Amino acid sequence: MLNDVRILASGEREAVELSATILTQAGAQIASSKSVTMDDFAHDVVIVSSDTCTAAQKSVIARLKASGDTIVCDITAMGQQRAGENTAYADAEIQAMSGLMDTTGFSHGGPVRIGVPFTEISAALYASAAIAAALRVRRIGGLNQNIDVSLFGCAVGALTTFLPAALAGDPVGRIGNRHPSCAPWNAYKTRDGWIVVCTSTEDQWRKIKGAASEPDLEDARFSTLSERVRHVEELDALLEKWTSTMTTAESSSLCERLGIPAGPIVSVEGLAHEPNFALRHENAAARMRAGAIDSETYRHVSLFRESPLSDGARAAASARDDLNLDAGPLAGVKVIEIGQYTTAPLVGKHLAALGADVVKVEAPEGELSRTWSPGQRGTSYFFALNNTDKRTVSLDLKKEDDRAYLRTLLADADVLVENLRPGALVKLGFDRHALSHINPRLTYCSISGFGVRTAYPARPAFDTVIQAMSGLMDLTRSDGEPVKIGASAADILGGQAALLAIVARLAAPSSDEGKFIEIAMQDVAAWSALFAAGNRRSARATESEVARLQTLIKDVAFRDDALSTAIDPNGHAWPVLKLPYRFSRTAASVRRVPGAPERPMLPGTAQLSSI
Protein backbone atom coordinates (compact mmCIF):
# COMPACT_ATOMS: atom_id res chain seq x y z
CA MET A 1 0.00 0.00 0.00
CA LEU A 2 2.11 2.89 1.32
CA ASN A 3 5.44 1.08 1.10
CA ASP A 4 8.49 3.38 1.12
CA VAL A 5 6.44 6.40 2.24
CA ARG A 6 8.41 8.25 4.93
CA ILE A 7 6.37 9.83 7.73
CA LEU A 8 7.47 11.89 10.73
CA ALA A 9 5.12 11.99 13.74
CA SER A 10 5.62 14.81 16.23
CA GLY A 11 2.99 15.97 18.68
CA GLU A 12 1.47 15.51 22.13
CA ARG A 13 -1.92 14.31 20.98
CA GLU A 14 -2.79 10.64 21.15
CA ALA A 15 -4.11 11.00 17.59
CA VAL A 16 -0.56 11.64 16.34
CA GLU A 17 0.74 8.39 17.85
CA LEU A 18 -2.31 6.48 16.65
CA SER A 19 -1.99 7.84 13.11
CA ALA A 20 1.61 6.67 13.01
CA THR A 21 0.57 3.18 14.15
CA ILE A 22 -2.24 3.01 11.60
CA LEU A 23 0.00 4.13 8.72
CA THR A 24 2.63 1.59 9.78
CA GLN A 25 0.01 -1.12 9.27
CA ALA A 26 -0.49 0.32 5.77
CA GLY A 27 3.24 -0.11 5.04
CA ALA A 28 4.63 3.36 5.73
CA GLN A 29 8.01 3.99 7.40
CA ILE A 30 7.50 5.99 10.60
CA ALA A 31 9.93 8.14 12.56
CA SER A 32 9.05 9.99 15.77
CA SER A 33 10.44 13.24 17.10
CA LYS A 34 9.66 15.61 19.95
CA SER A 35 9.93 18.57 17.61
CA VAL A 36 9.93 19.44 13.92
CA THR A 37 12.44 21.56 12.00
CA MET A 38 12.62 23.10 8.56
CA ASP A 39 14.78 20.14 7.52
CA ASP A 40 11.79 17.82 7.83
CA PHE A 41 10.83 18.23 4.18
CA ALA A 42 12.99 15.12 3.77
CA HIS A 43 9.89 13.23 4.88
CA ASP A 44 6.92 12.66 2.59
CA VAL A 45 4.50 13.47 5.41
CA VAL A 46 4.77 15.25 8.75
CA ILE A 47 2.01 14.69 11.34
CA VAL A 48 1.74 17.32 14.08
CA SER A 49 -0.69 18.72 16.65
CA SER A 50 -0.02 22.45 16.61
CA ASP A 51 -2.46 23.32 19.39
CA THR A 52 -0.32 21.40 21.90
CA CYS A 53 2.99 22.97 20.79
CA THR A 54 5.13 25.79 22.09
CA ALA A 55 5.02 29.12 20.26
CA ALA A 56 8.38 28.34 18.66
CA GLN A 57 7.14 25.00 17.35
CA LYS A 58 3.94 26.60 16.02
CA SER A 59 6.11 29.01 14.04
CA VAL A 60 8.14 26.16 12.53
CA ILE A 61 4.96 24.25 11.63
CA ALA A 62 3.53 27.35 9.94
CA ARG A 63 6.71 27.80 7.91
CA LEU A 64 6.76 24.09 6.98
CA LYS A 65 3.16 24.35 5.77
CA ALA A 66 3.98 27.43 3.72
CA SER A 67 7.02 25.83 2.10
CA GLY A 68 5.03 23.32 0.06
CA ASP A 69 7.92 20.86 0.32
CA THR A 70 6.03 18.15 2.18
CA ILE A 71 2.53 17.05 3.19
CA VAL A 72 1.73 18.43 6.65
CA CYS A 73 -1.20 16.94 8.58
CA ASP A 74 -2.19 19.01 11.62
CA ILE A 75 -4.54 17.34 14.12
CA THR A 76 -6.07 19.80 16.58
CA ALA A 77 -9.07 20.09 18.85
CA MET A 78 -11.01 22.58 16.73
CA GLY A 79 -9.19 22.64 13.37
CA GLN A 80 -10.74 25.27 11.13
CA GLN A 81 -14.20 24.66 12.53
CA ARG A 82 -13.99 27.73 14.76
CA ALA A 83 -12.00 30.67 13.44
CA GLY A 84 -9.23 31.79 15.77
CA GLU A 85 -9.85 28.95 18.28
CA ASN A 86 -6.55 27.31 19.16
CA THR A 87 -7.26 25.90 22.63
CA ALA A 88 -5.77 22.44 23.12
CA TYR A 89 -8.99 20.86 24.37
CA ALA A 90 -8.63 17.29 25.59
CA ASP A 91 -10.74 14.37 24.37
CA ALA A 92 -13.08 14.55 27.39
CA GLU A 93 -13.65 18.25 26.82
CA ILE A 94 -14.51 17.68 23.16
CA GLN A 95 -16.89 14.90 24.21
CA ALA A 96 -18.61 17.39 26.53
CA MET A 97 -18.64 20.36 24.13
CA SER A 98 -19.91 18.48 21.08
CA GLY A 99 -22.94 16.71 22.54
CA LEU A 100 -21.21 13.32 22.26
CA MET A 101 -21.09 12.81 26.03
CA ASP A 102 -24.72 13.87 26.34
CA THR A 103 -25.81 10.88 24.26
CA THR A 104 -24.01 8.24 26.36
CA GLY A 105 -25.58 6.87 29.53
CA PHE A 106 -28.89 5.67 30.90
CA SER A 107 -32.14 7.64 30.78
CA HIS A 108 -32.31 7.62 34.58
CA GLY A 109 -28.72 8.82 35.06
CA GLY A 110 -26.35 11.54 33.97
CA PRO A 111 -24.11 11.76 30.91
CA VAL A 112 -21.17 9.35 30.85
CA ARG A 113 -17.66 9.93 29.60
CA ILE A 114 -16.76 7.42 26.89
CA GLY A 115 -14.17 4.98 28.23
CA VAL A 116 -11.84 5.32 25.25
CA PRO A 117 -10.45 8.56 23.76
CA PHE A 118 -13.00 8.30 20.97
CA THR A 119 -12.36 11.68 19.34
CA GLU A 120 -8.58 11.11 19.27
CA ILE A 121 -9.04 7.64 17.75
CA SER A 122 -11.55 8.92 15.20
CA ALA A 123 -9.27 11.83 14.27
CA ALA A 124 -6.35 9.42 13.79
CA LEU A 125 -8.35 7.23 11.41
CA TYR A 126 -9.64 10.17 9.36
CA ALA A 127 -6.18 11.77 9.33
CA SER A 128 -4.65 8.54 8.03
CA ALA A 129 -7.21 8.31 5.23
CA ALA A 130 -6.69 11.98 4.34
CA ILE A 131 -2.92 11.49 4.27
CA ALA A 132 -3.34 8.55 1.91
CA ALA A 133 -5.53 10.72 -0.34
CA ALA A 134 -2.91 13.49 -0.32
CA LEU A 135 -0.23 10.94 -1.21
CA ARG A 136 -2.30 9.90 -4.23
CA VAL A 137 -2.42 13.55 -5.33
CA ARG A 138 1.33 13.81 -4.84
CA ARG A 139 2.01 10.64 -6.82
CA ILE A 140 -0.18 11.61 -9.75
CA GLY A 141 0.15 15.39 -9.80
CA GLY A 142 3.38 16.10 -7.91
CA LEU A 143 1.54 18.41 -5.53
CA ASN A 144 2.10 18.69 -1.77
CA GLN A 145 -0.62 20.15 0.41
CA ASN A 146 -1.66 20.61 4.02
CA ILE A 147 -4.39 18.73 5.88
CA ASP A 148 -6.28 19.95 8.94
CA VAL A 149 -8.21 17.45 11.07
CA SER A 150 -10.36 18.42 14.06
CA LEU A 151 -11.44 16.33 17.02
CA PHE A 152 -14.58 18.47 17.26
CA GLY A 153 -15.56 17.63 13.69
CA CYS A 154 -15.01 13.91 14.38
CA ALA A 155 -17.22 14.08 17.48
CA VAL A 156 -20.11 15.81 15.73
CA GLY A 157 -19.73 13.50 12.72
CA ALA A 158 -20.42 10.52 14.99
CA LEU A 159 -23.85 11.83 16.02
CA THR A 160 -25.84 10.75 12.96
CA THR A 161 -28.12 8.57 15.12
CA PHE A 162 -29.13 11.53 17.31
CA LEU A 163 -28.90 14.55 15.00
CA PRO A 164 -32.13 13.73 13.08
CA ALA A 165 -34.26 14.19 16.21
CA ALA A 166 -32.37 17.34 17.13
CA LEU A 167 -32.80 18.77 13.62
CA ALA A 168 -36.54 18.08 13.80
CA GLY A 169 -36.83 19.76 17.20
CA ASP A 170 -37.72 16.49 18.92
CA PRO A 171 -36.38 15.54 22.39
CA VAL A 172 -32.94 13.90 22.38
CA GLY A 173 -32.35 11.64 25.34
CA ARG A 174 -29.95 8.98 26.53
CA ILE A 175 -31.20 5.45 25.97
CA GLY A 176 -28.52 3.34 27.66
CA ASN A 177 -28.17 0.01 25.85
CA ARG A 178 -31.56 0.23 24.16
CA HIS A 179 -32.48 1.17 20.59
CA PRO A 180 -34.90 4.05 19.96
CA SER A 181 -36.89 2.12 17.34
CA CYS A 182 -36.42 -1.60 18.10
CA ALA A 183 -37.30 -3.88 21.02
CA PRO A 184 -36.23 -6.09 22.62
CA TRP A 185 -32.76 -4.57 22.36
CA ASN A 186 -30.74 -4.25 25.54
CA ALA A 187 -28.15 -5.73 27.87
CA TYR A 188 -29.67 -8.34 30.15
CA LYS A 189 -28.29 -9.99 33.26
CA THR A 190 -27.46 -13.70 33.16
CA ARG A 191 -26.51 -16.08 35.96
CA ASP A 192 -22.84 -15.12 35.62
CA GLY A 193 -22.70 -11.84 33.72
CA TRP A 194 -24.43 -9.96 30.93
CA ILE A 195 -25.69 -10.65 27.44
CA VAL A 196 -26.64 -8.11 24.79
CA VAL A 197 -29.65 -9.17 22.69
CA CYS A 198 -30.77 -7.18 19.65
CA THR A 199 -33.85 -7.87 17.52
CA SER A 200 -34.76 -5.89 14.41
CA THR A 201 -37.40 -8.05 12.69
CA GLU A 202 -40.69 -9.69 13.59
CA ASP A 203 -39.16 -13.08 12.79
CA GLN A 204 -36.43 -12.54 15.37
CA TRP A 205 -39.03 -11.45 17.91
CA ARG A 206 -41.10 -14.57 17.32
CA LYS A 207 -38.03 -16.77 17.74
CA ILE A 208 -36.89 -15.23 21.01
CA LYS A 209 -40.46 -15.17 22.35
CA GLY A 210 -40.78 -18.87 21.58
CA ALA A 211 -37.45 -19.69 23.22
CA ALA A 212 -38.32 -17.76 26.38
CA SER A 213 -41.67 -19.62 26.78
CA GLU A 214 -42.93 -16.80 28.98
CA PRO A 215 -46.78 -16.57 28.75
CA ASP A 216 -46.83 -12.85 29.49
CA LEU A 217 -44.83 -12.18 26.30
CA GLU A 218 -47.99 -13.11 24.36
CA ASP A 219 -49.72 -10.06 25.83
CA ALA A 220 -51.12 -7.45 23.41
CA ARG A 221 -48.61 -4.95 24.81
CA PHE A 222 -45.93 -6.74 22.79
CA SER A 223 -47.90 -7.66 19.67
CA THR A 224 -46.31 -5.03 17.41
CA LEU A 225 -42.95 -3.31 17.26
CA SER A 226 -44.41 0.06 18.17
CA GLU A 227 -46.18 -1.48 21.18
CA ARG A 228 -42.99 -3.25 22.28
CA VAL A 229 -41.07 0.03 22.14
CA ARG A 230 -43.87 1.77 24.09
CA HIS A 231 -43.85 -0.94 26.79
CA VAL A 232 -40.12 -1.58 26.74
CA GLU A 233 -39.70 -1.47 30.55
CA GLU A 234 -42.12 -4.34 31.07
CA LEU A 235 -40.71 -6.21 28.07
CA ASP A 236 -37.13 -5.96 29.31
CA ALA A 237 -38.11 -7.15 32.76
CA LEU A 238 -39.68 -10.28 31.30
CA LEU A 239 -36.69 -10.95 29.04
CA GLU A 240 -34.25 -10.55 31.92
CA LYS A 241 -36.34 -12.95 34.01
CA TRP A 242 -35.59 -15.50 31.28
CA THR A 243 -31.90 -14.68 30.60
CA SER A 244 -31.09 -14.75 34.32
CA THR A 245 -31.91 -18.47 34.37
CA MET A 246 -28.97 -19.20 31.99
CA THR A 247 -25.27 -18.59 31.91
CA THR A 248 -23.94 -16.05 29.44
CA ALA A 249 -22.45 -18.83 27.30
CA GLU A 250 -25.74 -20.74 27.23
CA SER A 251 -27.79 -17.71 26.23
CA SER A 252 -25.22 -16.65 23.57
CA SER A 253 -25.23 -20.11 22.00
CA LEU A 254 -29.01 -20.23 21.99
CA CYS A 255 -29.30 -16.84 20.28
CA GLU A 256 -26.70 -17.87 17.69
CA ARG A 257 -28.73 -20.98 16.86
CA LEU A 258 -31.82 -18.81 16.49
CA GLY A 259 -30.03 -16.31 14.23
CA ILE A 260 -30.50 -13.44 16.69
CA PRO A 261 -27.70 -10.86 17.09
CA ALA A 262 -26.41 -11.34 20.63
CA GLY A 263 -23.22 -11.64 22.62
CA PRO A 264 -21.63 -11.31 26.05
CA ILE A 265 -20.20 -8.13 27.52
CA VAL A 266 -16.50 -8.98 27.40
CA SER A 267 -13.95 -7.24 29.60
CA VAL A 268 -10.84 -5.83 27.95
CA GLU A 269 -8.72 -8.41 29.77
CA GLY A 270 -11.19 -11.10 28.71
CA LEU A 271 -10.46 -10.45 25.02
CA ALA A 272 -7.50 -12.81 25.34
CA HIS A 273 -10.00 -15.67 25.85
CA GLU A 274 -12.77 -14.40 23.56
CA PRO A 275 -12.92 -17.06 20.79
CA ASN A 276 -13.10 -14.79 17.76
CA PHE A 277 -10.47 -12.33 18.97
CA ALA A 278 -8.13 -15.18 19.95
CA LEU A 279 -8.60 -16.82 16.53
CA ARG A 280 -7.93 -13.65 14.55
CA HIS A 281 -5.16 -12.21 16.75
CA GLU A 282 -3.23 -15.14 18.16
CA ASN A 283 -0.09 -13.15 19.00
CA ALA A 284 -1.95 -10.38 20.81
CA ALA A 285 -4.04 -12.89 22.76
CA ALA A 286 -0.92 -14.85 23.75
CA ARG A 287 0.81 -11.67 24.95
CA MET A 288 -2.23 -10.75 27.00
CA ARG A 289 -2.44 -14.19 28.60
CA ALA A 290 1.26 -14.04 29.45
CA GLY A 291 1.09 -10.63 31.11
CA ALA A 292 -0.92 -7.49 31.67
CA ILE A 293 -2.11 -5.22 28.87
CA ASP A 294 0.57 -2.62 28.23
CA SER A 295 1.12 0.36 25.95
CA GLU A 296 2.22 -1.86 23.05
CA THR A 297 -0.56 -4.48 23.15
CA TYR A 298 -2.89 -2.69 20.76
CA ARG A 299 -0.17 -2.54 18.10
CA HIS A 300 -0.44 -6.33 17.70
CA VAL A 301 -4.05 -6.07 16.51
CA SER A 302 -4.56 -5.55 12.78
CA LEU A 303 -7.20 -3.06 11.67
CA PHE A 304 -7.60 -4.63 8.23
CA ARG A 305 -6.32 -7.54 6.19
CA GLU A 306 -5.38 -7.43 2.52
CA SER A 307 -4.94 -10.35 0.14
CA PRO A 308 -5.19 -11.00 -3.60
CA LEU A 309 -8.73 -10.82 -4.91
CA SER A 310 -8.32 -14.27 -6.44
CA ASP A 311 -5.52 -16.84 -6.58
CA GLY A 312 -6.15 -17.18 -10.28
CA ALA A 313 -6.19 -13.48 -11.11
CA ARG A 314 -5.88 -12.67 -14.80
CA ALA A 315 -3.86 -9.87 -16.35
CA ALA A 316 -5.79 -6.62 -16.63
CA ALA A 317 -5.51 -3.07 -17.79
CA SER A 318 -3.88 -0.73 -15.31
CA ALA A 319 -6.07 1.25 -12.94
CA ARG A 320 -7.04 4.76 -13.96
CA ASP A 321 -4.83 7.56 -12.68
CA ASP A 322 -6.97 10.59 -13.47
CA LEU A 323 -6.71 13.73 -11.36
CA ASN A 324 -8.75 16.91 -11.52
CA LEU A 325 -7.75 19.15 -8.63
CA ASP A 326 -11.15 20.83 -8.68
CA ALA A 327 -12.92 17.47 -8.36
CA GLY A 328 -10.99 16.12 -5.35
CA PRO A 329 -8.11 13.79 -4.44
CA LEU A 330 -10.01 10.72 -5.69
CA ALA A 331 -11.16 12.20 -8.99
CA GLY A 332 -11.47 9.47 -11.61
CA VAL A 333 -12.15 6.68 -9.09
CA LYS A 334 -15.39 4.71 -9.49
CA VAL A 335 -16.92 3.00 -6.45
CA ILE A 336 -19.83 0.57 -6.10
CA GLU A 337 -21.42 0.51 -2.64
CA ILE A 338 -23.77 -2.26 -1.50
CA GLY A 339 -24.59 -1.41 2.07
CA GLN A 340 -27.10 0.01 4.49
CA TYR A 341 -27.41 1.96 7.73
CA THR A 342 -23.98 3.24 8.86
CA THR A 343 -20.80 1.32 8.04
CA ALA A 344 -20.51 0.93 4.26
CA PRO A 345 -22.57 4.10 3.66
CA LEU A 346 -20.06 6.06 5.77
CA VAL A 347 -17.24 4.76 3.56
CA GLY A 348 -19.10 5.66 0.37
CA LYS A 349 -20.00 9.09 1.71
CA HIS A 350 -16.37 10.01 2.37
CA LEU A 351 -15.07 8.50 -0.88
CA ALA A 352 -17.65 10.66 -2.69
CA ALA A 353 -16.65 13.75 -0.71
CA LEU A 354 -13.05 13.08 -1.79
CA GLY A 355 -14.12 13.16 -5.42
CA ALA A 356 -14.89 9.53 -6.29
CA ASP A 357 -17.92 8.62 -8.38
CA VAL A 358 -19.94 6.46 -5.94
CA VAL A 359 -22.88 4.36 -7.13
CA LYS A 360 -25.01 3.04 -4.28
CA VAL A 361 -26.98 -0.15 -4.98
CA GLU A 362 -30.27 -0.34 -3.09
CA ALA A 363 -33.02 -2.96 -2.91
CA PRO A 364 -36.15 -2.34 -5.04
CA GLU A 365 -37.95 -0.79 -2.08
CA GLY A 366 -34.94 1.39 -1.28
CA GLU A 367 -32.73 1.24 1.81
CA LEU A 368 -34.89 0.77 4.90
CA SER A 369 -33.38 3.79 6.66
CA ARG A 370 -34.82 6.09 3.96
CA THR A 371 -38.22 5.79 5.65
CA TRP A 372 -37.09 6.39 9.23
CA SER A 373 -38.50 9.33 11.11
CA PRO A 374 -37.84 12.24 11.26
CA GLY A 375 -37.13 13.55 7.81
CA GLN A 376 -38.59 15.61 5.02
CA ARG A 377 -40.27 14.90 1.70
CA GLY A 378 -40.31 11.15 2.25
CA THR A 379 -36.62 10.76 3.09
CA SER A 380 -35.10 10.54 6.57
CA TYR A 381 -32.46 12.91 7.88
CA PHE A 382 -30.47 9.80 8.88
CA PHE A 383 -30.30 8.58 5.29
CA ALA A 384 -29.44 12.03 3.99
CA LEU A 385 -26.61 12.51 6.49
CA ASN A 386 -25.04 9.15 5.59
CA ASN A 387 -25.41 9.10 1.82
CA THR A 388 -24.41 12.48 0.44
CA ASP A 389 -22.96 12.86 -3.07
CA LYS A 390 -23.84 9.36 -4.29
CA ARG A 391 -25.74 8.17 -7.32
CA THR A 392 -28.32 5.57 -6.35
CA VAL A 393 -29.69 2.66 -8.35
CA SER A 394 -32.39 0.13 -7.46
CA LEU A 395 -31.58 -3.52 -8.18
CA ASP A 396 -33.19 -6.79 -7.14
CA LEU A 397 -30.14 -9.01 -6.92
CA LYS A 398 -32.32 -12.11 -6.71
CA LYS A 399 -33.04 -11.62 -10.41
CA GLU A 400 -30.52 -12.49 -13.13
CA ASP A 401 -31.14 -9.36 -15.23
CA ASP A 402 -30.37 -7.19 -12.22
CA ARG A 403 -27.27 -9.21 -11.36
CA ALA A 404 -26.16 -8.80 -14.98
CA TYR A 405 -26.53 -5.04 -14.63
CA LEU A 406 -24.44 -5.11 -11.45
CA ARG A 407 -21.75 -6.98 -13.37
CA THR A 408 -21.68 -4.14 -15.93
CA LEU A 409 -21.26 -1.63 -13.10
CA LEU A 410 -18.43 -3.65 -11.58
CA ALA A 411 -16.63 -4.21 -14.88
CA ASP A 412 -15.05 -0.75 -14.91
CA ALA A 413 -15.17 0.02 -11.18
CA ASP A 414 -12.11 0.57 -9.01
CA VAL A 415 -13.72 -0.32 -5.68
CA LEU A 416 -16.56 -2.46 -4.33
CA VAL A 417 -17.46 -1.89 -0.68
CA GLU A 418 -20.22 -3.77 1.15
CA ASN A 419 -21.39 -4.54 4.68
CA LEU A 420 -23.68 -7.48 3.99
CA ARG A 421 -23.60 -10.57 6.15
CA PRO A 422 -20.54 -12.69 5.19
CA GLY A 423 -21.48 -15.03 2.37
CA ALA A 424 -24.47 -13.00 1.13
CA LEU A 425 -22.72 -11.92 -2.09
CA VAL A 426 -21.36 -15.43 -2.60
CA LYS A 427 -24.92 -16.81 -2.62
CA LEU A 428 -25.75 -14.30 -5.35
CA GLY A 429 -22.84 -15.47 -7.50
CA PHE A 430 -20.36 -12.73 -6.59
CA ASP A 431 -17.60 -14.59 -4.78
CA ARG A 432 -14.02 -13.34 -5.01
CA HIS A 433 -13.21 -15.55 -7.99
CA ALA A 434 -16.28 -14.32 -9.87
CA LEU A 435 -15.45 -10.70 -9.06
CA SER A 436 -11.91 -11.25 -10.30
CA HIS A 437 -13.31 -12.60 -13.56
CA ILE A 438 -15.59 -9.55 -13.92
CA ASN A 439 -12.82 -7.07 -13.08
CA PRO A 440 -9.30 -8.39 -12.34
CA ARG A 441 -8.08 -5.07 -10.91
CA LEU A 442 -11.03 -4.50 -8.54
CA THR A 443 -10.41 -3.58 -4.89
CA TYR A 444 -13.14 -5.39 -2.95
CA CYS A 445 -13.70 -4.36 0.68
CA SER A 446 -15.96 -6.48 2.87
CA ILE A 447 -17.03 -5.12 6.27
CA SER A 448 -18.64 -7.41 8.84
CA GLY A 449 -18.99 -7.77 12.57
CA PHE A 450 -16.59 -10.68 13.10
CA GLY A 451 -14.71 -11.01 9.82
CA VAL A 452 -14.49 -13.71 7.16
CA ARG A 453 -12.16 -15.96 9.17
CA THR A 454 -14.30 -16.20 12.27
CA ALA A 455 -15.31 -18.35 15.20
CA TYR A 456 -18.89 -17.23 14.58
CA PRO A 457 -19.77 -17.96 10.93
CA ALA A 458 -23.50 -17.98 11.73
CA ARG A 459 -23.66 -15.11 14.23
CA PRO A 460 -25.17 -11.83 13.00
CA ALA A 461 -23.98 -8.62 14.60
CA PHE A 462 -25.08 -5.06 15.21
CA ASP A 463 -23.08 -2.16 16.62
CA THR A 464 -24.30 -2.84 20.16
CA VAL A 465 -23.18 -6.47 20.02
CA ILE A 466 -19.73 -5.48 18.79
CA GLN A 467 -19.38 -2.81 21.46
CA ALA A 468 -20.20 -5.52 24.02
CA MET A 469 -17.77 -8.09 22.61
CA SER A 470 -14.79 -5.77 22.05
CA GLY A 471 -14.24 -4.20 25.47
CA LEU A 472 -15.76 -0.83 24.56
CA MET A 473 -18.79 -1.34 26.78
CA ASP A 474 -16.64 -2.71 29.61
CA LEU A 475 -14.65 0.55 29.65
CA THR A 476 -17.72 2.78 29.49
CA ARG A 477 -19.74 2.52 32.68
CA SER A 478 -22.42 4.40 34.58
CA ASP A 479 -22.27 3.82 38.33
CA GLY A 480 -20.40 0.59 37.61
CA GLU A 481 -22.90 -0.73 35.06
CA PRO A 482 -21.61 -1.26 31.49
CA VAL A 483 -23.23 0.98 28.89
CA LYS A 484 -22.74 1.32 25.16
CA ILE A 485 -21.27 4.45 23.63
CA GLY A 486 -24.31 6.44 22.54
CA ALA A 487 -22.95 6.97 19.05
CA SER A 488 -22.71 3.85 16.88
CA ALA A 489 -19.03 3.66 17.73
CA ALA A 490 -18.25 0.17 16.41
CA ASP A 491 -20.02 0.90 13.12
CA ILE A 492 -18.23 4.22 12.74
CA LEU A 493 -14.76 2.95 13.66
CA GLY A 494 -15.19 -0.04 11.31
CA GLY A 495 -16.20 2.29 8.49
CA GLN A 496 -13.25 4.60 9.16
CA ALA A 497 -10.80 1.69 9.06
CA ALA A 498 -12.31 0.55 5.75
CA LEU A 499 -12.00 4.08 4.37
CA LEU A 500 -8.32 4.20 5.30
CA ALA A 501 -7.58 0.78 3.79
CA ILE A 502 -9.36 1.62 0.52
CA VAL A 503 -7.74 5.04 0.07
CA ALA A 504 -4.32 3.61 0.94
CA ARG A 505 -4.81 1.02 -1.81
CA LEU A 506 -5.83 3.78 -4.24
CA ALA A 507 -2.74 5.78 -3.25
CA ALA A 508 -0.41 2.93 -4.20
CA PRO A 509 1.09 2.85 -7.70
CA SER A 510 -1.31 1.46 -10.29
CA SER A 511 -1.56 -2.30 -10.23
CA ASP A 512 -3.23 -4.84 -12.46
CA GLU A 513 -3.87 -7.17 -9.52
CA GLY A 514 -7.18 -7.00 -7.70
CA LYS A 515 -7.21 -6.91 -3.90
CA PHE A 516 -9.53 -8.16 -1.18
CA ILE A 517 -9.71 -6.04 1.98
CA GLU A 518 -11.36 -7.57 5.03
CA ILE A 519 -12.62 -5.42 7.90
CA ALA A 520 -13.98 -6.95 11.12
CA MET A 521 -15.65 -4.34 13.30
CA GLN A 522 -14.65 -6.31 16.40
CA ASP A 523 -10.98 -5.96 15.40
CA VAL A 524 -11.16 -2.17 15.17
CA ALA A 525 -13.20 -1.77 18.34
CA ALA A 526 -10.87 -4.10 20.30
CA TRP A 527 -7.84 -2.19 18.95
CA SER A 528 -9.39 0.99 20.37
CA ALA A 529 -10.20 -0.61 23.72
CA LEU A 530 -6.71 -2.08 24.09
CA PHE A 531 -5.12 1.28 23.31
CA ALA A 532 -7.23 2.91 26.02
CA ALA A 533 -6.51 0.15 28.56
CA GLY A 534 -2.76 0.15 27.92
CA ASN A 535 -2.24 3.89 27.59
CA ARG A 536 -4.26 5.35 30.41
CA ARG A 537 -3.43 9.00 30.88
CA SER A 538 -4.54 11.08 33.81
CA ALA A 539 -7.69 12.89 32.77
CA ARG A 540 -7.33 16.64 32.78
CA ALA A 541 -9.83 18.31 35.05
CA THR A 542 -12.44 20.12 33.00
CA GLU A 543 -14.91 22.94 33.74
CA SER A 544 -16.79 22.76 30.46
CA GLU A 545 -20.42 21.75 31.14
CA VAL A 546 -21.81 18.78 29.26
CA ALA A 547 -23.70 20.40 26.39
CA ARG A 548 -27.15 19.07 25.51
CA LEU A 549 -27.43 18.25 21.83
CA GLN A 550 -30.95 19.63 21.54
CA THR A 551 -29.62 22.93 22.92
CA LEU A 552 -26.53 22.93 20.72
CA ILE A 553 -28.56 22.45 17.54
CA LYS A 554 -30.24 25.82 18.18
CA ASP A 555 -26.91 27.59 18.68
CA VAL A 556 -25.82 29.57 15.61
CA ALA A 557 -22.11 29.10 16.33
CA PHE A 558 -22.50 25.32 16.68
CA ARG A 559 -24.46 25.07 13.43
CA ASP A 560 -21.83 27.14 11.64
CA ASP A 561 -19.09 24.89 13.04
CA ALA A 562 -20.75 21.56 12.35
CA LEU A 563 -23.32 21.84 9.58
CA SER A 564 -23.62 22.95 5.99
CA THR A 565 -26.37 22.77 3.39
CA ALA A 566 -26.73 20.28 0.54
CA ILE A 567 -29.27 20.22 -2.29
CA ASP A 568 -31.33 17.27 -3.53
CA PRO A 569 -32.24 16.70 -7.22
CA ASN A 570 -35.44 18.73 -6.77
CA GLY A 571 -33.57 21.75 -5.42
CA HIS A 572 -34.60 21.28 -1.80
CA ALA A 573 -32.10 22.15 0.93
CA TRP A 574 -30.92 19.65 3.56
CA PRO A 575 -28.76 20.11 6.67
CA VAL A 576 -25.65 17.93 6.36
CA LEU A 577 -22.41 17.47 8.27
CA LYS A 578 -19.20 19.25 7.43
CA LEU A 579 -16.14 17.06 6.93
CA PRO A 580 -13.77 16.68 9.90
CA TYR A 581 -10.75 17.11 7.57
CA ARG A 582 -9.78 19.78 5.06
CA PHE A 583 -7.18 19.98 2.28
CA SER A 584 -5.38 23.16 1.32
CA ARG A 585 -5.14 22.51 -2.43
CA THR A 586 -7.70 19.90 -3.52
CA ALA A 587 -11.46 19.96 -3.07
CA ALA A 588 -13.21 17.75 -0.53
CA SER A 589 -16.77 18.73 0.24
CA VAL A 590 -20.35 17.62 0.81
CA ARG A 591 -22.63 18.94 -1.90
CA ARG A 592 -25.76 16.92 -2.65
CA VAL A 593 -28.37 14.60 -1.13
CA PRO A 594 -29.51 11.79 -3.46
CA GLY A 595 -33.07 11.44 -4.62
CA ALA A 596 -35.02 8.21 -4.97
CA PRO A 597 -32.98 5.30 -6.36
CA GLU A 598 -33.11 5.07 -10.14
CA ARG A 599 -34.42 1.88 -11.71
CA PRO A 600 -32.27 1.24 -14.80
CA MET A 601 -33.69 -0.12 -18.00
CA LEU A 602 -32.67 -3.76 -18.32
CA PRO A 603 -30.70 -5.37 -19.80
CA GLY A 604 -28.07 -3.00 -18.54
CA THR A 605 -27.58 -0.58 -21.39
CA ALA A 606 -29.02 2.53 -19.78
CA GLN A 607 -26.71 5.07 -18.22
CA LEU A 608 -27.33 6.35 -14.71
CA SER A 609 -28.01 10.05 -14.62
CA SER A 610 -25.30 12.15 -13.01
CA ILE A 611 -25.88 13.97 -9.77
Side-chain angles (χ1 to χ4, degrees), residues 20 28 35 56-57 78 84 121 125 145 156 266 269 274 280 292 324 352 394 396 418 423 428 506 550 567 582:
S35 61
Q57 272 292 286
M78 299 305 299
I121 294 169
L125 285 161
Q145 60 184 317
V156 176
V266 179
E269 294 78 9
E274 200 288 310
R280 293 179 59 83
N324 176 351
S394 168
D396 184 350
E418 53 92 0
L428 294 169
L506 294 172
Q550 59 195 46
I567 305 300
R582 299 186 185 184

Side-chain angles (χ1 to χ4, degrees), residues 126-208:
Y126 276 133
S128 300
I131 287 168
L135 285 166
R136 181 177 189 268
V137 172
R138 173 176 172 152
R139 177 176 61 79
I140 298 172
L143 174 68
N144 289 315
Q145 60 184 317
N146 303 320
I147 305 163
D148 286 289
V149 180
S150 77
L151 273 65
F152 178 85
C154 294
V156 176
L159 292 172
T160 52
T161 303
F162 296 91
L163 278 171
L167 290 168
D170 297 336
V172 179
R174 290 177 289 277
I175 56 175
N177 296 317
R178 287 177 173 149
H179 190 285
S181 306
C182 297
W185 185 304
N186 209 341
Y188 302 94
K189 291 180 180 178
T190 64
R191 277 169 40 197
D192 58 354
W194 296 84
I195 184 171
V196 167
V197 179
C198 306
T199 64
S200 61
T201 67
E202 288 301 307
D203 182 59
Q204 290 172 344
W205 162 241
R206 286 191 294 270
K207 287 179 179 178
I208 202 163

Side-chain angles (χ1 to χ4, degrees), residues 52-70:
T52 65
C53 292
T54 63
Q57 272 292 286
K58 289 178 182 176
S59 176
V60 173
I61 291 170
R63 290 164 57 202
L64 199 61
K65 289 181 177 180
S67 72
D69 291 322
T70 190

